Amino acid sequence: MSKVSVTGSKRVIDDVIEATYEHHSLHVTDYDERYEGFSPGESLDGAETVNEKLVTVRSLESILGVEGDEVDGARPLDDEALESELADVRERVNDLNDRRDDLQAEIRDREEEIERMEPFADLGIELDLLGGYDSLEVVVGEAKPDAVEATLADADGIDAFDVFAGSDVVAIFARPADGADEGVLQDSLVGVDIALLEVPEADTSPGEYVAELEREREALRSDLEEVEAELDAVREEAAGFLLRAEEQLTIEAEKKQAPLSFATTENAFIAEGWVPTETFSDLKAAVTDAVGDHAEVEELERASFTPDGDHHTEAVADGGAEPAAATDGGHAGHGDDDPPVVQNNGSAAGPFELLVQAFGRPKYSEFDPTLLVFLTFPAMFGFMIGDVGYGALYAAIGFFMYTKFDGAFRELGSVAMWAGGFTILFGIYYGIDLFGYHAYQLLGIHWPVEGKGLSPADLDWGLSFLVASVVFGIVHLNIGHVLSFMSTSQQHDLKHAVYEAGSWLLILNGAWIWIFSGVFPNAKPDFLFEAVGVLTFGAVSFNGFPVLIGWAGAVAAGLGLVLLGIGELPELAEFLSPLVNAISYARLMAVLLAKGGMALAVNLLAFGAYVDDGGEGSFHFIFTPSYLAEVQNTADYQIVFSGLTTAFDPSVVGILAVAGGVVVAVVGHIVVLLLGVTSAGIQAVRLEYVEFFGNFYEGGGRAYLPFGRDRKYTRDD
């Protein structure tokens, strides 16, 4: 990327903006007030008018529900046609929209009135009978008749009363006692749970009034449908125009507001920004063709693409003829302005840019870790879930998101498909695991992996997966430290790289070589060494690194501590982090067992299970009453739980048991599916962000957003 400046007379600022906009390569940076005598620019004349029109167009699109797929092709749109047609569409749409709003308001009024009248219609008492008495007080409200009658029977101020009840409402007629105050009926009902209702005024009976209101509401709804149909017709007719108008006005607005980022005086302007180095000559030629020598395009700096930091950004002399010596960190007095970043990881890894950008877009001087996330995140997710059934559902959900949505949801769909694919692969590895059921048992075939480590027979597998998780973490951390070493050596020098990254590499690898060595063998658990044989089905054996190699690892770790102390003494306080960070990857095995255990628990409750080999073998699910009876009569089988579906018999209880088992299975596996996203997804992301990125990656870069726009709906004829 090259940092450039465009300097010229204000008389040609419009032409320069037009040329750079059409070239669509200059990422404009905001003026930071570092030039004496210059100030931020102002919008060009007419910007306010353009913005007002743009707001109008977008408002009309919102009212009509216009979307981007309603254009039959790109066409030119001149200002006169835009002005006249916009006025016509605005008048028609605003008139119809006002009519729609009025009708909707009237419909709401009718519905509120219907809701208010329905209790009185339920009572079946004429409205004029609910008031206007000299010697009676009347109250209408929602309450329980028994509670009202019990309260009024004990009221001192009431001589007589009568209660008429509907389904949810009561009407209370009462004659106050002599000398009682006005409103004694309401006062007597203070202790009753009653919601008082105001008696509406109407000349007809409540039922007739409600029926009339409903007829009016239906007539209004019919009118509303006609207005909606007219709006749909306007949308079909005007959608293409509105999309073209929005695009054209957006382009005009961006051009007229461009000087807000410029440095200006009364007669001159300076615009600065970044362009791909290979396009600089074309940009300069485009501006020169537009305004001749009234503007000058100069290349100020040139930043290489590889991670190399500020010390390698080159100042450029004579408009980019040859790089000059870097000055003051490579910015040649033009301020601290890092180049923008373009991430281009291809169609497969590209969607994983979303996960990287959630942490922070890479700086121009940083290695983009998207490809590494693409290679590791789905694998970690698949390892933790490891189930063919769940994996197929994850992939199906991802496919739906990928095909039905755009933007971030589409990218998440692609990530979900990759994660689902690896979940299926690991599910096959774990014994063709299908919603927690080892399908190889059903198929009656031998499978080398006996399970996930949940049953007595496959505990060795669980411990082996623990070792595999930590070893994966060691490899993952090594990649991060190597990238840190490379970046530091380029940004500074080899000595800094050795102190800041090489020291951690020595500590990490030296400590773990010592742990996996034959030094002090009695103090180390056997599964550390047996895991290799278990995972390779006995094809490879590992008894630990030789004692000499182990002590060499200890020396290397000690040397790393010395180098770390020389380079960054305060960091010695974290000398255990290589061990802690690698052990943190044990969460992969923990989630694997947790999710497998949850699926197993669901199946246990629904279908029942037993363990063969006298309780020392593998889990097997029962499913049917006949098989349960067979299991109960087999001495070598130990029942863990008989299950709900096994209680089936031709009775209400049996049918309910089977239905309950099915509900438990379906709901339980849905819960495991959802928790798999939150637990496995979050843990995998955490390992990427904290343990992995923490070694070499900061983020905080800016996206490359060139000034200009690719026309989609209009042509510039």
Side-chain angles (χ1 to χ4, degrees), residues 514-535:
W514 184 86
I515 291 173
F516 282 103
S517 72
V519 179
F520 306 131
N522 295 331
K524 299 173 183 178
D526 293 337
F527 69 83
L528 283 179
F529 312 109
E530 295 172 351
V532 174
V534 173
L535 295 171

Side-chain angles (χ1 to χ4, degrees), residues 107-125 127 130 140-142 168-170 195-207 209-211 213-214 217:
I107 290 172
R108 284 194 299 271
D109 291 342
R110 299 302 189 278
E111 289 176 341
E112 290 173 1
E113 187 69 9
I114 289 171
E115 184 178 355
R116 192 164 71 95
M117 287 295 300
E118 280 179 342
F120 298 95
D122 180 48
L123 271 176
I125 300 175
L127 296 178
L130 296 175
V140 180
E142 295 176 348
D168 296 313
V169 66
V170 295
L196 299 179
L197 299 175
E198 182 181 354
V199 179
E201 296 180 1
D203 297 332
T204 61
S205 68
Y209 188 43
V210 168
L213 289 172
E214 289 176 343
R217 181 183 61 183

